[in-house]
Amino acid sequence: MKLKNTQSRWILLLFLSWTATGLTQQNDSLAREERKAIMRDTLDGAFDFSRYLIDAKGFIPIPVIVTEPALGGFGLFLAPVFLTPKHMEGYDGYLPPDITGVAGMYTSNNSWFAGAFRMGSFLKAGLRYRALVGYTSLNLTFYRDFPSLAKSDFEFNIDALPVYLSLSRRVFKQDVYLGLQYLYSKTETQPLFEGDLPDFVPEVDLAKNTGTLGTFIDWDKRSNFFTPDFGTRVYAIYNINAPWTGSQYKSERVNFFFNWFARFKPDWISGLRGEVQQLFGEPPFYTYPAINMRGVPAAKYQGNTTFLVETEQRYDLNLRWSVLGFMGYARTWYNDEALNDGKDIISGGAGFRYLIAREFNIRSGVDIATGPDGLAWYIVFGHNWNR
């Protein structure tokens, strides 16, 4: 009798063990299926981050190959970003989500960055805020065309610890925001070339701090923060650097830009961008206004005044895939008569996009552009004009 009971117990234990193993495997299989399912859109079954971001409170990884020519042409930028949708009762317009993330970058010319950022809002109070803190070490080439100098490019290493804060409040029902922003940066600069410093770089500029206080107005009626399909944004800001703002420089700067998007047909989105920057005073050479446009190396074309206009035409092949073309013109001017006259810059190119998060209308893809310095390519998350 004991033997039979012992055998029964062993049989029962084996059965329970086998059942538990089967259930575990089944649960693991279900978990895997659930993980796969949450990365698929319920609308078309395509790969999509929307449900993962909303239902699983997850993050969207933004791994970007850095192709900026001014940073060596190759590198990796990684930013895990958390998105929190916002809703307000009685409001039928678009509300951008709260965005939280960390970021890191390293490029082939040994430039790197690490930092964290937050963009959010207090809807009932009509407030928006932004914050960023980080550390960066950039190796950048700056250009000046002095007729008396055979050399026109000068490479510098710039180490900076930036802290950025912005707060704005809605003042009209049409999403007009007035705000203040402050950027403080402790900066050290070292030349990466032999010989004397060029005339446009005073030695005192190599280790100084900037404290920039700005006041701005922002009217944003775009259909979406990430990849707009229609709507307009107009933004203007006045910045000042002075001892009372924590800066070791005295300068003022006015920036104005607009973005306009129109859906001429259900599958054709047309965009237009314009920007003007004007500098007053004598800031450090690395903070002069510069042209920011695909196909143009960062910081290469600077001036006291810059002007830019660009158009982009996107055609949606279907819900997920799009192709686009873009072209732009820009010009720079210096006040210094010792410099050559201003530069005219023309660039253009084409690319494609994939709708990676339908609920947020986030499109990501690749652009190839050509400009005065040859070909360049860019991995784009959202719209290239976002800032």
Side-chain angles (χ1 to χ4, degrees):
M1 189 67 180
K2 284 186 177 181
L3 181 60
K4 290 183 178 181
N5 289 337
T6 302
Q7 289 175 337
S8 299
R9 284 196 294 270
W10 277 110
I11 291 172
L12 179 61
L13 287 173
L14 287 172
F15 174 77
L16 292 175
S17 176
W18 174 81
T19 303
T21 302
L23 288 173
T24 301
Q25 292 176 344
Q26 185 179 11
N27 289 336
D28 290 343
S29 178
L30 289 173
R32 285 194 297 269
E33 291 300 320
E34 288 177 0
R35 286 194 295 270
K36 289 180 181 178
I38 206 169
M39 301 300 290
R40 299 285 178 181
D41 195 337
T42 56
L43 181 64
D44 60 357
F47 175 76
D48 189 283
F49 269 99
S50 299
R51 290 180 60 201
Y52 176 68
L53 291 169
I54 298 172
D55 298 339
K57 309 297 183 184
F59 64 90
I60 184 168
I62 307 177
V64 175
I65 298 175
V66 178
T67 57
E68 170 58 53
L71 296 176
F74 185 81
L76 180 64
F77 174 89
L78 180 62
V81 173
F82 295 83
L83 303 178
T84 306
K86 302 301 287 281
H87 305 280
M88 185 168 66
E89 187 175 351
Y91 184 83
D92 57 359
Y94 171 73
L95 293 172
D98 289 349
I99 304 174
T100 307
V102 295
M105 179 195 75
Y106 190 83
T107 73
S108 60
N109 75 344
N110 297 320
S111 295
W112 62 274
F113 166 81
F117 58 91
R118 168 77 175 180
M119 298 171 57
S121 60
F122 299 105
L123 297 179
K124 292 184 178 180
L127 296 175
R128 290 180 178 176
Y129 63 90
R130 297 185 177 191
L132 179 146
V133 62
Y135 189 89
T136 185
S137 178
L138 301 178
N139 298 318
L140 288 173
T141 301
F142 294 86
Y143 297 80
R144 297 292 189 278
D145 289 336
F146 291 96
S148 59
L149 291 179
K151 181 178 175 62
S152 62
D153 56 310
F154 304 88
E155 188 176 7
F156 292 86
N157 170 259
I158 302 174
D159 288 344
L161 178 63
V163 178
Y164 170 79
L165 299 170
S166 172
L167 181 66
S168 60
R169 189 177 190 280
R170 187 173 61 245
V171 293
F172 297 106
K173 291 183 178 181
Q174 295 298 317
D175 293 325
V176 177
Y177 283 77
L178 289 177
L180 293 173
Q181 71 175 37
Y182 182 72
L183 172 63
Y184 179 83
S185 181
K186 180 177 176 61
T187 307
E188 293 185 4
T189 307
Q190 294 183 351
L192 300 179
F193 56 87
E194 296 181 358
D196 297 332
L197 291 173
D199 292 341
F200 71 91
V201 184
E203 190 168 351
V204 295
D205 277 6
L206 299 183
K208 280 195 172 182
N209 305 330
T210 57
T212 307
L213 179 66
T215 178
F216 63 87
I217 182 169
D218 188 5
W219 179 62
D220 193 351
K221 293 298 289 184
R222 295 173 300 171
S223 61
N224 181 266
F225 171 82
F226 297 101
T227 314
D229 293 333
F230 58 88
T232 305
R233 184 186 181 193
V234 178
Y235 180 91
I237 184 168
Y238 167 77
N239 287 314
I240 183 169
N241 280 270
W244 61 271
T245 67
S247 180
Q248 294 176 279
Y249 298 90
K250 291 183 178 181
S251 67
E252 299 168 72
R253 181 168 167 173
V254 177
N255 289 20
F256 169 83
F257 73 79
F258 75 88
N259 296 165
W260 173 81
F261 298 91
R263 188 191 291 274
F264 287 145
K265 292 184 178 180
D267 48 12
W268 176 23
I269 309 301
S270 180
L272 182 65
R273 167 198 180 200
E275 182 173 351
V276 177
Q277 301 180 81
Q278 178 63 55
L279 173 69
F280 306 93
E282 297 183 357
F285 67 96
Y286 49 84
T287 63
Y288 270 69
I291 299 302
N292 177 19
M293 192 163 61
R294 283 164 289 191
V296 179
K300 180 166 185 177
Y301 297 98
Q302 294 180 298
N304 293 84
T305 306
T306 67
F307 167 82
L308 179 153
V309 62
E310 185 180 13
T311 183
E312 179 180 287
Q313 308 299 317
R314 190 186 92 217
Y315 183 80
D316 295 338
L317 301 173
N318 52 42
L319 175 65
R320 293 288 166 179
W321 292 96
S322 307
V323 293
L324 57 86
F326 51 89
M327 179 170 287
Y329 166 80
R331 182 171 174 82
T332 66
W333 294 268
Y334 275 107
N335 294 340
D336 193 339
E337 295 181 357
L339 292 169
N340 286 341
D341 197 11
K343 297 287 186 181
D344 292 296
I345 304 109
I346 296 175
S347 72
F352 71 88
R353 296 291 184 272
Y354 177 78
L355 184 60
I356 197 170
R358 181 178 59 84
E359 292 289 342
F360 296 91
N361 204 36
I362 301 175
R363 296 179 185 268
S364 185
V366 176
D367 290 339
I368 298 176
T370 182
D373 301 277
L375 283 172
W377 62 288
Y378 306 85
I379 294 180
V380 181
F381 180 87
H383 202 282
N384 180 264
W385 299 344
N386 283 341
R387 60 183 61 190

PDB file of all heavy atoms in Angstrom, residues 101-115:
ATOM      1  N   GLY A 101      13.179  62.619 -22.077  1.00  0.00           N
ATOM      2  CA  GLY A 101      14.178  61.735 -22.667  1.00  0.00           C
ATOM      3  C   GLY A 101      15.583  62.015 -22.172  1.00  0.00           C
ATOM      4  O   GLY A 101      15.857  63.040 -21.526  1.00  0.00           O
ATOM      5  N   VAL A 102      16.449  61.082 -22.443  1.00  0.00           N
ATOM      6  CA  VAL A 102      17.882  61.251 -22.260  1.00  0.00           C
ATOM      7  C   VAL A 102      18.529  61.057 -23.625  1.00  0.00           C
ATOM      8  O   VAL A 102      17.936  60.453 -24.525  1.00  0.00           O
ATOM      9  CB  VAL A 102      18.460  60.255 -21.237  1.00  0.00           C
ATOM     10  CG1 VAL A 102      17.884  60.511 -19.849  1.00  0.00           C
ATOM     11  CG2 VAL A 102      18.170  58.817 -21.671  1.00  0.00           C
ATOM     12  N   ALA A 103      19.725  61.575 -23.799  1.00  0.00           N
ATOM     13  CA  ALA A 103      20.351  61.502 -25.112  1.00  0.00           C
ATOM     14  C   ALA A 103      21.853  61.372 -24.966  1.00  0.00           C
ATOM     15  O   ALA A 103      22.458  61.899 -24.023  1.00  0.00           O
ATOM     16  CB  ALA A 103      20.008  62.750 -25.936  1.00  0.00           C
ATOM     17  N   GLY A 104      22.444  60.664 -25.904  1.00  0.00           N
ATOM     18  CA  GLY A 104      23.889  60.535 -25.973  1.00  0.00           C
ATOM     19  C   GLY A 104      24.330  60.506 -27.421  1.00  0.00           C
ATOM     20  O   GLY A 104      23.606  60.019 -28.298  1.00  0.00           O
ATOM     21  N   MET A 105      25.523  61.036 -27.697  1.00  0.00           N
ATOM     22  CA  MET A 105      26.028  61.095 -29.066  1.00  0.00           C
ATOM     23  C   MET A 105      27.536  60.927 -29.067  1.00  0.00           C
ATOM     24  O   MET A 105      28.241  61.398 -28.162  1.00  0.00           O
ATOM     25  CB  MET A 105      25.666  62.435 -29.709  1.00  0.00           C
ATOM     26  CG  MET A 105      26.176  62.608 -31.131  1.00  0.00           C
ATOM     27  SD  MET A 105      26.108  64.336 -31.705  1.00  0.00           S
ATOM     28  CE  MET A 105      27.509  65.054 -30.803  1.00  0.00           C
ATOM     29  N   TYR A 106      28.025  60.233 -30.088  1.00  0.00           N
ATOM     30  CA  TYR A 106      29.472  60.158 -30.323  1.00  0.00           C
ATOM     31  C   TYR A 106      29.695  60.062 -31.828  1.00  0.00           C
ATOM     32  O   TYR A 106      28.992  59.307 -32.510  1.00  0.00           O
ATOM     33  CB  TYR A 106      30.100  58.945 -29.631  1.00  0.00           C
ATOM     34  CG  TYR A 106      31.609  58.982 -29.666  1.00  0.00           C
ATOM     35  CD1 TYR A 106      32.327  59.720 -28.728  1.00  0.00           C
ATOM     36  CD2 TYR A 106      32.316  58.310 -30.660  1.00  0.00           C
ATOM     37  CE1 TYR A 106      33.706  59.776 -28.769  1.00  0.00           C
ATOM     38  CE2 TYR A 106      33.699  58.364 -30.714  1.00  0.00           C
ATOM     39  CZ  TYR A 106      34.387  59.098 -29.761  1.00  0.00           C
ATOM     40  OH  TYR A 106      35.759  59.165 -29.810  1.00  0.00           O
ATOM     41  N   THR A 107      30.659  60.826 -32.344  1.00  0.00           N
ATOM     42  CA  THR A 107      30.895  60.864 -33.785  1.00  0.00           C
ATOM     43  C   THR A 107      32.344  60.545 -34.112  1.00  0.00           C
ATOM     44  O   THR A 107      33.209  60.490 -33.233  1.00  0.00           O
ATOM     45  CB  THR A 107      30.531  62.236 -34.373  1.00  0.00           C
ATOM     46  OG1 THR A 107      31.527  63.193 -33.979  1.00  0.00           O
ATOM     47  CG2 THR A 107      29.167  62.690 -33.908  1.00  0.00           C
ATOM     48  N   SER A 108      32.604  60.369 -35.403  1.00  0.00           N
ATOM     49  CA  SER A 108      33.917  59.927 -35.862  1.00  0.00           C
ATOM     50  C   SER A 108      35.011  60.970 -35.660  1.00  0.00           C
ATOM     51  O   SER A 108      36.199  60.635 -35.703  1.00  0.00           O
ATOM     52  CB  SER A 108      33.858  59.543 -37.346  1.00  0.00           C
ATOM     53  OG  SER A 108      33.464  60.652 -38.130  1.00  0.00           O
ATOM     54  N   ASN A 109      34.661  62.246 -35.468  1.00  0.00           N
ATOM     55  CA  ASN A 109      35.705  63.227 -35.181  1.00  0.00           C
ATOM     56  C   ASN A 109      35.835  63.498 -33.680  1.00  0.00           C
ATOM     57  O   ASN A 109      36.336  64.539 -33.256  1.00  0.00           O
ATOM     58  CB  ASN A 109      35.454  64.532 -35.947  1.00  0.00           C
ATOM     59  CG  ASN A 109      34.335  65.369 -35.346  1.00  0.00           C
ATOM     60  OD1 ASN A 109      33.530  64.882 -34.540  1.00  0.00           O
ATOM     61  ND2 ASN A 109      34.265  66.626 -35.737  1.00  0.00           N
ATOM     62  N   ASN A 110      35.364  62.515 -32.868  1.00  0.00           N
ATOM     63  CA  ASN A 110      35.480  62.535 -31.398  1.00  0.00           C
ATOM     64  C   ASN A 110      34.640  63.624 -30.739  1.00  0.00           C
ATOM     65  O   ASN A 110      34.950  64.051 -29.614  1.00  0.00           O
ATOM     66  CB  ASN A 110      36.948  62.678 -30.963  1.00  0.00           C
ATOM     67  CG  ASN A 110      37.785  61.494 -31.401  1.00  0.00           C
ATOM     68  OD1 ASN A 110      37.344  60.348 -31.343  1.00  0.00           O
ATOM     69  ND2 ASN A 110      39.008  61.767 -31.859  1.00  0.00           N
ATOM     70  N   SER A 111      33.588  64.055 -31.401  1.00  0.00           N
ATOM     71  CA  SER A 111      32.612  64.920 -30.754  1.00  0.00           C
ATOM     72  C   SER A 111      31.623  64.055 -29.976  1.00  0.00           C
ATOM     73  O   SER A 111      31.281  62.956 -30.409  1.00  0.00           O
ATOM     74  CB  SER A 111      31.838  65.743 -31.786  1.00  0.00           C
ATOM     75  OG  SER A 111      32.690  66.634 -32.466  1.00  0.00           O
ATOM     76  N   TRP A 112      31.166  64.542 -28.815  1.00  0.00           N
ATOM     77  CA  TRP A 112      30.215  63.756 -28.042  1.00  0.00           C
ATOM     78  C   TRP A 112      29.314  64.672 -27.220  1.00  0.00           C
ATOM     79  O   TRP A 112      29.617  65.843 -27.002  1.00  0.00           O
ATOM     80  CB  TRP A 112      30.916  62.741 -27.141  1.00  0.00           C
ATOM     81  CG  TRP A 112      31.830  63.322 -26.097  1.00  0.00           C
ATOM     82  CD1 TRP A 112      33.145  63.666 -26.247  1.00  0.00           C
ATOM     83  CD2 TRP A 112      31.494  63.625 -24.736  1.00  0.00           C
ATOM     84  NE1 TRP A 112      33.648  64.167 -25.070  1.00  0.00           N
ATOM     85  CE2 TRP A 112      32.663  64.142 -24.122  1.00  0.00           C
ATOM     86  CE3 TRP A 112      30.334  63.501 -23.977  1.00  0.00           C
ATOM     87  CZ2 TRP A 112      32.689  64.545 -22.792  1.00  0.00           C
ATOM     88  CZ3 TRP A 112      30.348  63.900 -22.648  1.00  0.00           C
ATOM     89  CH2 TRP A 112      31.523  64.403 -22.071  1.00  0.00           C
ATOM     90  N   PHE A 113      28.195  64.093 -26.804  1.00  0.00           N
ATOM     91  CA  PHE A 113      27.204  64.826 -25.998  1.00  0.00           C
ATOM     92  C   PHE A 113      26.456  63.845 -25.118  1.00  0.00           C
ATOM     93  O   PHE A 113      26.183  62.708 -25.512  1.00  0.00           O
ATOM     94  CB  PHE A 113      26.206  65.555 -26.907  1.00  0.00           C
ATOM     95  CG  PHE A 113      24.978  66.056 -26.176  1.00  0.00           C
ATOM     96  CD1 PHE A 113      25.033  67.237 -25.452  1.00  0.00           C
ATOM     97  CD2 PHE A 113      23.790  65.341 -26.200  1.00  0.00           C
ATOM     98  CE1 PHE A 113      23.908  67.687 -24.766  1.00  0.00           C
ATOM     99  CE2 PHE A 113      22.673  65.786 -25.515  1.00  0.00           C
ATOM    100  CZ  PHE A 113      22.736  66.970 -24.807  1.00  0.00           C
ATOM    101  N   ALA A 114      26.102  64.285 -23.919  1.00  0.00           N
ATOM    102  CA  ALA A 114      25.237  63.518 -23.023  1.00  0.00           C
ATOM    103  C   ALA A 114      24.347  64.499 -22.273  1.00  0.00           C
ATOM    104  O   ALA A 114      24.816  65.550 -21.812  1.00  0.00           O
ATOM    105  CB  ALA A 114      26.059  62.689 -22.033  1.00  0.00           C
ATOM    106  N   GLY A 115      23.053  64.155 -22.164  1.00  0.00           N
ATOM    107  CA  GLY A 115      22.162  65.079 -21.481  1.00  0.00           C
ATOM    108  C   GLY A 115      20.776  64.507 -21.290  1.00  0.00           C
ATOM    109  O   GLY A 115      20.482  63.373 -21.676  1.00  0.00           O
TER     110      GLY A 115
END
